[in-house]
Amino acid sequence: MTNAPVPPAASDSASDPRQSLLNSRLLDLYGNEPELAQFPRLTAELLRELTISDFAVYGEVDHATWQNRGMCTDDSQEVRDALNRYATTPRGHPFFEALPQYYQGRVLFAAECMSPAELAANPIIQQVYGPIGVKHVLGFNFPCDTKVIAFGAMRRSNAPFKEEDRAIATLLRQHFETLYTHASQRAARNMGLRQRLMLVYPELTSRQLDVAVWLAIGKSNPVIAQLLNVTQAGVKFHLRSIFNHIGAEDRTTAALILSQAAPGFVPSEGANPKTPGFLAAPASDASGFSPVEDVPAPAPARSTVRG
């Protein structure tokens, strides 16, 4: 089975005792305005609790490079080892690839996307979830710029996920996307200019980023050359590359584009967004982003330096 199933209409969850708990937890989340570093843990724990699962996972997936970052509510070494295998294991099915075009905004169960034989033969089941006793998987995701924010809930018991669980998870998905958008916007406003440019234009080299920051601040070519201890010809060379990357034809346009650059996707922690691997726990409770504009420090004077 390769096409995503069309789930039945969500059942009325008004009689589900989890509904009042859901409302209370969501009010707390909106009221506390969690930062991006807190978002993975808080949302994954809420998903685990409300779907009555053994553990839940949060992931940031880059489908262009197939690199993943994330965390799990179960910090045991067994689960850490299993989830670290996820990054290098063939997915075997679109359900495990977290493809938004497959999920189409829905909450899906692995058991409805694959036959029992397909599930048993799936590499993710065999190498990741099977060894830690997972029998049932629920998943959903939402796109964010070029990345995908993905969630999964796992049960080790024989009790399959039901429509009541889907209804709860569907509401969570909607609110998680809103909360993530708000947290990402706050982080983008607070981070330094160089960090924003690194996320918006990851193809720029370190020296090009230095030049771009000073250009966005309004420094002239001679001043940039002096600050970076390079020749003016070197500055012009880097500017031409920057113009090509950002689609600008002159300094004024480039400075405007760079100064207003805002990333559509901000990693949940202050790590390099290209970092591969599966992080089993958040690095810290801090966002990792400095509210101070992180302009490059002037280079020390040297006798001969080439741009």
Side-chain angles (χ1 to χ4, degrees):
M1 296 188 292
T2 57
N3 295 324
V6 179
S11 61
D12 182 6
S13 59
S15 60
D16 191 329
R18 291 176 291 179
Q19 185 65 47
S20 59
L21 180 60
L22 168 65
N23 294 337
S24 175
R25 294 285 194 271
L26 288 174
L27 284 173
D28 288 341
L29 276 177
Y30 280 105
N32 293 331
E33 294 189 335
E35 299 301 326
L36 281 178
Q38 302 167 319
F39 181 85
R41 173 68 67 178
L42 292 174
T43 51
E45 286 286 6
L46 184 56
L47 174 63
R48 180 201 60 77
E49 178 184 20
L50 291 175
T51 57
I52 316 175
S53 301
D54 289 283
F55 64 90
V57 296
Y58 163 96
E60 298 168 2
V61 184
D62 184 341
H63 284 123
T65 61
W66 286 108
Q67 292 178 325
N68 308 277
R69 302 172 67 249
M71 59 77 56
C72 177
T73 59
D74 187 332
D75 291 333
S76 67
Q77 192 61 49
E78 179 188 36
V79 173
R80 280 173 174 262
D81 291 343
L83 292 179
N84 276 316
R85 292 194 295 271
Y86 196 102
T88 58
T89 301
R91 306 300 190 264
H93 191 276
F95 176 86
F96 291 117
E97 293 176 355
L99 294 172
Q101 58 266 40
Y102 179 79
Y103 279 77
Q104 298 181 14
R106 298 168 295 181
V107 174
L108 298 178
F109 307 153
E112 67 186 356
C113 298
M114 289 168 271
S115 68
E118 288 175 319
L119 271 173
N122 183 272
I124 294 294
I125 295 296
Q126 289 183 339
Q127 301 177 40
V128 179
Y129 292 135
I132 55 177
V134 172
K135 294 183 174 64
H136 300 283
V137 184
L138 169 156
F140 60 85
N141 58 62
F142 53 85
C144 183
D145 197 34
T146 60
K147 310 294 191 299
V148 174
I149 308 302
F151 289 87
M154 289 73 185
R155 284 181 180 172
R156 293 187 172 103
S157 71
N158 291 323
F161 288 107
K162 298 181 179 180
E163 289 308 311
E164 292 81 0
D165 301 305
R166 194 198 309 272
I168 290 290
T170 297
L171 290 173
L172 288 176
R173 181 200 174 278
Q174 296 167 358
H175 289 286
F176 286 178
E177 183 171 10
T178 299
L179 287 161
Y180 184 89
T181 300
H182 292 172
S184 183
Q185 290 171 346
R186 289 194 300 272
R189 288 195 298 267
N190 291 333
M191 71 171 57
L193 176 58
R194 196 176 201 276
Q195 290 174 302
R196 297 205 309 270
L197 295 180
M198 286 178 63
L199 291 173
V200 178
Y201 305 109
E203 68 277 8
L204 294 181
T205 66
S206 178
R207 181 43 60 93
Q208 288 169 352
L209 283 169
D210 291 341
V211 173
V213 170
W214 287 122
L215 173 63
I217 292 174
K219 301 300 182 182
S220 65
N221 284 5
V223 172
I224 295 175
Q226 182 179 15
L227 288 167
L228 299 180
N229 200 15
V230 298
T231 65
Q232 290 191 48
V235 172
K236 291 179 181 179
F237 173 80
H238 290 307
L239 285 176
R240 285 193 294 271
S241 296
I242 293 169
F243 291 175
N244 290 334
H245 281 304
I246 70 176
E249 297 182 357
D250 53 63
R251 281 180 56 90
T252 302
T253 303
L256 182 64
I257 292 173
L258 292 169
S259 64
Q260 296 179 350
F265 169 81
V266 178
S268 61
E269 292 138 10
N272 186 329
K274 295 181 180 180
T275 300
F278 201 104
L279 307 179
S284 68
D285 290 333
S287 68
F289 297 126
S290 170
V292 180
E293 291 295 298
D294 51 342
V295 298
R302 288 180 290 180
S303 56
T304 55
V305 179
R306 294 294 180 185

